[in-house]
């Protein structure tokens, strides 16, 4: 019978016993020492994270709860049904809800089950490690986290006014539309806000961030981690004083949220402020103060925290002193660290020692950067909380900061992308058509994880599906074409509002280019005036669409709607200027910048040399300078030709990939054929490739006749990227895809290339690609029909016996042309040996088989030996290292060696044949029919007692050229036998004896034998 509910146990807190539990105690000890109320608090505190964590082990926990008679059979069935339907999240919530309703014993049993299964569920393990590290201190932290101090009466009216002010400021979203009638649409935040996926981790904080679509691959990788139940999602109301805090501090918490441009950091901050102001989140914060770093840039004098708050919130007057008395009730938000003009380096120890940099009092006068630093580090108003947002480029500054929670906005995942387009277009027919086009274009689809890119896509593509006069074939396919139509739509709707749009765009582009070169994205009236752009021109809708004006601060600032729009306008200027100067020099200097700041600018310049991108803009701006277009094309040609053979270094590979992006954006088929048509080798090994990189490579290879070697090892290519490459892989003769994440679905795509009648693939490397037996059927089918593939590497996958059994069917097919097959470390046992043996007996092409690092065992090798004795067996090289072999299989191996006429290279290293095993092999080695040339017997527990037999057998073996006896237990007693072997076997070219137990003198004797004849190498 399940335990009934303990009514009322949560309403009052029993007197807590003091836990004798420190960080060094075990979790079972901790749980034993917890009283009922503490266990209740612990479960409530971690409830949200436990719901996520249990998704990976809900079936196991529910079974344990049933076994302990906590769950009834009906309750277990309900939980299990949800798991079987794939609704693990719902099943996890239901389980926790049931447990919380049943009382203290149910909770205790649940936590005990967590301990038992922690190592198989990473998220549970993480929670338990945190609890173990904190011990009893965890309960003190919970008290702080949930303590609500009473607001003094004199502050209640002020708080209400502050909340109302913030509510009004944050309740609406303004969205540009490029339409004449409605230049800006205003939506209610709650209606328009799309929940973004935020994770409680941050990717490499030193990552150089600006590649237009690089986050496509990272996004995909982290999403995959989530599927593996390792990634924890975090809500915006969990950033402070929750179980996610890595530093459970009594002096306050600081949280850092990272995200690429346009991912929604500022909108997230707006939603947090709105939700606090309307009483939905963080009730323990009495006051929230939100600042944008771009606004703080306008303060160019020393200031104190009091005046900083009054600068933006003047109605606080003289009452701020009351707020300082309870810093735990204060939350400070600083949005856009990457936009701050002053560098705040938390690794700079001088801030802790120099008086002018220390700010420990809200009345203390200092630089704005010192105030921000001191708040984050809890030196100013200890106990307050701070939220900082930043692009990845500035995150390294926070590495040494006192950050309790690191989080990152991943953007849209799955159906959230489609939902964006459905919300954007009132006409759902248009929404479906636009999203379908985006889905079908791999370049554009990769952009969709980012809300800002979705906005640009929707604005640029919408007119193609709403206006009947637009030709469908002209719909943008490249990034440059897309942005070209974005500007085109602005010109079409607003171009007549301004006298000379070409001149205005030229000046705006010059300012944009300076911004790109100086990594500047925020501009002021002074910047506009410097480039002869009058701020009054912002009365025009034309300029309002290209620059967003923010006058919420004391000083008006301007930004482009997105960094990539700034880069496009900067690139466009190069084609509008009447005097381009030395454009090739400008492009080369930009290309030489190693931090990638000009990378997207250069792609846009190359793309604007294309008529497809230039034509719509020329309709309103006049003809682009032909001289500039020609010089840009010449520069791209020069770069591609210069980089083709320069891929020995990572920089060389990256540069070649970038030039391919230029070539793709240019859409210049003649240029592509002239520069890459005859390319034979392309190597990008070790370079991370995004799905869009793969799409570009696919486009480039499309212009090639045959690629002799295409090396993509360790490029972190996953299924999405592989889909982009699929259509051109059949053109490659050698294809290296090792150590990626191609997976079973990727192999299905590859199998299609292998079945292509024009397939030229001869050598295929798929090692380390997380393949399982699920892909074996497709691979086997391709091997049965393919006429070109002769070398296949499947090492380090999880094919298992069932997978190799399926492959063996293909190997028995007379049309299979495979000559070399590598199956190292694929999880084989004796169960597949019979199928392999059958394949070896019938296959006429296979001459090199690698089965190392499996578990075939003696019985498996006995079955293979039967095939080796078959006169039809053509195997020349066989590797059976590390297969758990003992002397029990030596007789069968010896029999095979005696009769086989083809085997010349045998690797039996890292087994346990022992002296008795090698003695049996020696009998076969004496047989004149044994043609062995290379023999590897390293690490086989040989001792001196077998040296004589081995030497005697090999002395007359005039076919033997290489012998490896390393890592055995030979001593100086074996030296005479080994000496005779080396001197007598005249065909021997190399013998390896390192790692044995020879004395220094013995090693010297053996080494001297190297001089007995030319061409002989002896290693000891």
């Amino acid at each position: 019978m399940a335990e009934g509910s303990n009514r009322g146990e949560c309403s009052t807190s029993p007197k807590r016993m003091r836990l004798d539990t420190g960080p060094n105690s075990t979790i079972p000890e901790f749980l034993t020492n917890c009283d009922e109320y503490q266990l209740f608090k612990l479960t409530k505190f971690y409830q949200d994270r436990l719901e996520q964590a249990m998704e990976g082990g809900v079936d196991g926990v529910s079974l344990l709860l049933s076994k302990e008679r906590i769950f009834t059979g009906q309750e277990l069935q309900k939980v299990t049904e949800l798991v079987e339907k794939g609704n693990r999240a719902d099943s996890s919530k239901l389980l926790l809800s049931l447990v919380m309703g049943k009382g203290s014993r149910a909770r205790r049993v649940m936590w005990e089950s967590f301990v038992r299964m922690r190592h198989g569920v990473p998220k549970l393990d993480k929670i338990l490690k945190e609890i173990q590290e904190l011990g009893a201190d965890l309960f003190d932290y919970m008290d702080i986290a949930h303590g609500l101090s009473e607001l003094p009466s004199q502050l209640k009216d002020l708080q209400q006014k502050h909340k109302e002010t913030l509510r009004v400021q944050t309740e609406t979203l303004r969205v540009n539309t490029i339409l004449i009638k409605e230049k800006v649409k205003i939506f209610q935040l709650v209606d328009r806000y799309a929940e973004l996926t935020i994770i409680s981790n941050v990717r490499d904080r030193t990552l150089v961030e600006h590649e237009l679509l690089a986050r496509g691959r990272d996004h995909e990788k982290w999403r995959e981690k989530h599927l593996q139940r390792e990634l924890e999602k975090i809500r915006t109301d969990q950033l402070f004083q929750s179980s996610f805090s890595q530093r459970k501090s009594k002096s306050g918490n600081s949280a850092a949220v990272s995200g690429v441009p346009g991912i929604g950091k500022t909108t997230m901050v707006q939603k947090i402020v709105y939700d606090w102001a309307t009483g939905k989140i963080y009730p323990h914060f009495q006051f929230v103060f939100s600042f944008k770093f771009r606004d703080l840039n306008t303060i160019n004098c020393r200031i104190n925290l009091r005046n900083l708050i009054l600068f933006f919130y003047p109605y606080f007057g003289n009452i701020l002193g009351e707020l300082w008395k309870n810093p735990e009730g204060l939350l400070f938000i600083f949005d856009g660290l990457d936009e701050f003009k002053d560098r705040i380096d938390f690794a700079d120890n001088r801030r802790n020692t120099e008086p002018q940099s220390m700010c420990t009092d809200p009345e203390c006068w200092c630089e704005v950067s010192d105030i921000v630093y001191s708040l984050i580090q809890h030196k100013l108003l200890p106990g307050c909380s701070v939220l900082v947002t930043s692009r990845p480029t500035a995150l390294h500054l926070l590495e040494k900061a006192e950050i309790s929670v690191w989080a990152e906005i991943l953007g849209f995942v799955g159906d959230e992308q489609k939902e964006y387009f459905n919300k954007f277009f009132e006409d759902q027919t248009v929404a479906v058509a636009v999203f379908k086009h985006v889905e079908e274009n791999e370049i554009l689809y990769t952009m969709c994880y980012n809300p800002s890119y979705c906005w640009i896509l929707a604005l640029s593509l919408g007119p193609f599906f709403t206006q009947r006069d637009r030709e469908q074939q002209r719909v943008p396919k490249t990034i440059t074409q897309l942005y070209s139509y974005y500007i085109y739509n602005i010109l079409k709707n607003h171009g007549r509002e301004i006298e000379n749009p070409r001149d205005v765009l030229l000046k705006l582009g010059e300012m944009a280019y300076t911004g790109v070169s100086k990594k500047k994205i925020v501009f002021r009236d002074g910047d506009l005036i410097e480039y002869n752009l009058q701020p009054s021109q912002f009365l025009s809708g034309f300029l309002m669409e290209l620059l967003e004006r923010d006058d919420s601060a004391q000083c008006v600032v301007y930004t482009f709607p997105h960094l990539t729009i700034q880069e496009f306008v900067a690139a466009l200027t190069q084609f509008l200027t009447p005097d381009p100067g030395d454009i090739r020099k400008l492009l080369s200097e930009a290309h030489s910048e190693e931090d990638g700041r000009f990378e997207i600018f250069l792609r846009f310049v190359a793309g604007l040399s294309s008529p497809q991108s230039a034509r719509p803009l020329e309709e309103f701006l006049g003809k682009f300078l032909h001289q500039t277009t020609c010089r840009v094309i010449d520069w791209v040609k020069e770069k591609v030709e210069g980089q083709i053979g320069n891929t020995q270094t990572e920089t060389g590979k990256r540069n070649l990939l970038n030039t391919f992006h230029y070539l793709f954006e240019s859409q210049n088929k003649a240029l592509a054929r002239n520069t890459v048509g005859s390319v034979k080798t392309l190597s990008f090994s070790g370079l991370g490739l995004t799905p869009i990189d793969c799409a570009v490579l696919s486009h480039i290879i499309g212009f090639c006749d045959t690629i002799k070697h295409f090396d993509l090892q360790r490029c972190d290519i996953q299924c999405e990227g592989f889909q982009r490459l699929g259509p051109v892989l059949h053109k490659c003769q050698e294809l290296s895809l090792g150590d990626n994440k191609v997976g079973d679905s990727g192999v299905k795509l590859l199998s299609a290339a292998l079945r292509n009648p024009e397939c030229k693939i001869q050598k295929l490397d798929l090692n380390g690609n997380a393949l399982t037996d699920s892909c074996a059927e497709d691979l086997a089918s391709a091997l049965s029909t393919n006429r070109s593939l002769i070398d296949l590497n499947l090492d380090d996958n999880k094919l298992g016996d069932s997978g190799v059994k399926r492959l063996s069917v293909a190997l028995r097919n007379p049309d299979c042309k495979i000559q070399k097959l590598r199956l190292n470390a694929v999880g084989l046992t004796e169960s597949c040996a019979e199928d392999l043996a059958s394949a070896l007996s019938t296959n006429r092409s296979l001459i090199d088989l690698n089965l190392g690092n499996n578990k075939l065992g003696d019985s498996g090798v006995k079955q293979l030996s039967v095939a080796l004795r078959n006169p039809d067996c053509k195997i020349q090289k066989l590797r059976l290292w590390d297969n758990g072999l003992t002397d029990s299989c030596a007789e069968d191996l010896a029999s095979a060696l005696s009769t086989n006429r083809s085997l010349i290279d045998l690797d039996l290293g890292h087994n346990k044949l022992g002296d008795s095993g090698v003695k049996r092999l020696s009998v076969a080695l004496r047989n004149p029919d044994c043609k062995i040339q290379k023999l590897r017997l390293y690490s086989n527990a040989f001792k001196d007692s077998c040296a004589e037999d081995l030497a005697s057998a090999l002395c007359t073996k005039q076919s033997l050229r290489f012998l490896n006896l390393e890592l055995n237990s030979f001593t100086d007693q074996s030296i005479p036998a080994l000496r005779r072997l080396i001197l007598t076997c005249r065909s021997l070219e190399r013998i390896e004896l390192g790692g044995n137990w020879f004395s220094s003198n013995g090693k010297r004797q053996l080494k001297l034998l190297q001089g007995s004849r030319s061409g002989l190498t002896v290693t000891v």
Side-chain angles (χ1 to χ4, degrees), residues 805-1000:
K805 283 180 180 182
R806 288 172 182 148
L807 289 179
S808 297
V809 175
L811 292 173
R812 289 196 292 269
N813 189 311
D815 291 328
C816 178
K817 305 300 180 187
I818 287 288
Q819 296 178 15
K820 183 175 181 178
L821 179 61
R822 294 175 61 96
L823 291 169
N824 281 321
V826 295
L828 306 186
T829 71
E830 62 186 83
S831 297
C832 71
E834 188 177 347
D835 296 86
L836 271 174
S838 172
L840 291 180
S841 298
T842 55
N843 187 286
R844 299 290 180 273
S845 60
L846 188 64
I847 59 174
D848 188 341
L849 179 61
N850 198 330
L851 297 171
N853 196 14
N854 286 294
K855 295 179 181 178
L856 291 171
D858 294 331
S859 57
V861 168
K862 285 180 181 181
Q863 291 176 77
L864 289 180
S865 298
V866 175
L868 290 172
R869 289 196 293 270
N870 189 313
D872 291 328
C873 177
K874 306 299 180 186
I875 285 290
Q876 297 177 13
K877 297 179 181 180
L878 180 62
R879 282 160 175 71
L880 291 168
W881 57 275
D882 195 14
N883 259 287
L885 310 185
T886 71
D887 59 351
S888 296
C889 71
E891 197 73 58
D892 296 88
L893 272 174
S895 172
L897 283 174
S898 297
T899 56
N900 187 286
R901 301 289 183 274
S902 60
L903 189 64
I904 58 173
D905 189 337
L906 179 62
D907 186 346
L908 294 171
H910 216 302
N911 285 295
K912 296 178 181 178
L913 294 173
D915 291 349
S916 57
V918 83
K919 284 180 180 180
R920 286 171 183 156
L921 285 180
S922 297
V923 175
L925 293 170
R926 286 193 187 93
N927 191 314
D929 290 330
C930 174
K931 306 298 182 185
I932 207 75
Q933 295 179 12
K934 294 182 179 181
L935 183 60
R936 294 170 176 83
L937 295 169
Y938 55 88
S939 188
N940 258 291
F942 297 158
K943 297 179 181 176
D944 294 327
S945 61
C946 74
E948 191 62 46
D949 292 275
L950 190 59
S952 175
L954 294 175
C955 277
T956 56
K957 183 58 63 183
Q958 294 310 310
S959 62
L960 187 68
R961 294 189 290 109
F962 174 85
L963 179 63
N964 186 336
L965 295 172
E966 290 181 323
L967 301 171
N968 284 294
S969 302
F970 294 125
T971 70
D972 288 0
Q973 290 181 37
S974 298
I975 289 179
L978 293 170
R979 175 187 174 86
R980 189 168 73 256
L981 165 61
I982 292 169
L983 294 175
T984 309
C985 183
R986 308 294 295 178
S987 61
L988 190 64
E989 296 171 359
R990 183 179 181 89
I991 182 169
E992 297 180 350
L993 298 166
N996 281 286
W997 295 358
F998 302 120
S999 67
S1000 299

Side-chain angles (χ1 to χ4, degrees), residues 348-579:
D348 187 355
N349 290 324
R350 289 177 297 177
R351 283 189 177 274
N352 299 322
T353 56
E354 295 180 358
Q356 65 269 28
S357 297
M358 293 181 68
C359 181
T360 57
D361 189 318
E363 310 293 335
C364 173
W365 292 82
C366 54
E367 300 296 333
V368 172
S369 61
D370 297 326
I371 293 174
V372 176
Y373 171 88
S374 299
L375 284 170
I376 292 173
Q377 296 296 77
H378 315 305
K379 296 180 184 301
L380 175 60
L381 295 179
C384 75
S385 296
V386 183
L387 170 62
V388 183
T389 71
S390 175
R391 292 179 181 177
T393 36
L395 267 190
H396 65 281
L397 297 173
L398 292 170
E399 278 197 330
K400 301 293 184 182
E402 296 285 326
I403 302 295
S404 305
V405 173
W406 291 98
E408 178 165 7
I409 303 177
L410 284 192
F412 292 144
V413 176
D415 289 341
E416 293 168 350
Q417 301 166 349
K418 186 176 182 179
E419 185 63 26
Y420 180 93
F421 288 92
N422 290 341
K423 281 186 175 182
F424 189 93
F425 295 104
E426 292 177 7
D427 185 340
Q428 290 303 290
T429 308
V430 176
V432 170
V434 170
F435 187 68
K436 184 173 184 291
H437 175 75
V438 170
E439 262 190 317
E440 291 171 352
N441 186 312
E442 59 271 14
I443 302 292
L444 305 184
Y445 185 64
T446 313
M447 303 169 73
C448 281
Y449 72 95
N450 189 311
S452 281
Y453 292 145
C454 288
W455 175 73
I456 292 168
L457 283 162
L459 286 174
S460 304
L461 296 174
F464 284 93
F465 298 92
T466 53
Q467 298 174 19
R468 293 180 180 178
D469 58 335
R470 288 282 180 93
E471 299 174 28
Q472 285 294 308
Q473 64 267 28
R474 291 175 59 200
V475 180
K477 293 180 180 178
T478 70
I479 305 297
T480 310
Q481 289 173 17
L482 180 79
Y483 280 71
S484 178
Y485 274 103
Y486 172 80
I487 302 296
Y488 168 87
N489 284 322
I490 294 176
L491 289 166
K492 183 180 180 182
N493 288 307
H494 300 288
R496 293 177 183 83
E497 298 173 7
I498 201 155
E499 190 175 330
N500 189 343
R502 182 177 181 126
D503 182 56
V504 172
L505 265 173
L506 175 60
K507 292 171 181 176
L508 190 63
E510 288 172 347
M511 185 179 80
Y513 177 81
T514 302
V516 172
S517 65
K518 294 181 178 179
K519 292 188 172 182
K520 180 177 179 179
I521 58 174
V522 180
F523 304 92
R524 297 180 181 79
D525 283 338
D527 295 308
L528 269 66
I529 293 167
E530 182 182 343
Y531 289 92
N532 295 315
L533 288 163
Q534 299 306 318
S536 59
Q537 287 177 307
F538 270 86
L539 297 172
S540 145
F542 173 66
L543 211 51
M544 281 177 67
E545 296 295 350
L546 284 171
L547 272 184
E548 292 181 346
R549 174 188 173 116
D550 185 353
D551 51 12
S552 61
Q554 301 293 325
C555 175
V556 177
V557 295
Y558 306 89
T559 56
F560 287 87
H562 194 266
L563 176 56
T564 48
I565 294 174
Q566 178 179 336
E567 291 165 314
F568 182 84
V569 174
L572 179 59
T573 293
Q574 312 309 316
F575 295 84
L576 301 180
T577 179
D579 180 20

Side-chain angles (χ1 to χ4, degrees), residues 744-799:
D744 296 334
S745 52
V747 167
K748 290 183 179 182
L749 295 166
L750 182 59
S751 298
L754 289 169
R755 286 193 290 267
N756 189 320
E758 297 181 4
C759 180
K760 299 175 182 178
I761 300 174
Q762 297 175 14
K763 185 175 181 180
L764 176 60
D765 182 355
L766 285 170
N767 86 85
N769 265 291
L771 309 184
T772 72
D773 59 348
S774 298
C775 72
E777 199 73 58
D778 295 278
L779 203 51
S781 169
L783 293 181
S784 298
T785 56
N786 182 280
R787 299 289 181 274
S788 61
L789 188 65
I790 58 174
D791 187 337
L792 177 61
N793 184 350
L794 294 170
D795 288 349
D796 296 305
N797 286 294
K798 297 177 181 177
L799 296 170

Side-chain angles (χ1 to χ4, degrees), residues 28 172 186 212 230 255 315 318 337 445 488 502 569-570 581 587 643 645 698 747 811 887 912 942 1000 1014:
T172 57
I186 297 177
L212 178 60
E230 293 177 13
Y315 47 84
N318 295 321
L337 176 63
Y445 185 64
Y488 168 87
R502 182 177 181 126
V569 174
L587 297 177
Q643 290 295 335
S698 180
V747 167
L811 292 173
D887 59 351
K912 296 178 181 178
F942 297 158
S1000 299
S1014 63

Side-chain angles (χ1 to χ4, degrees), residues 324-338:
W324 310 150
K325 294 176 183 177
N326 183 31
E328 290 80 7
L330 303 179
L331 170 61
F332 294 91
I333 301 176
F334 296 98
D335 182 29
L337 176 63
D338 50 284

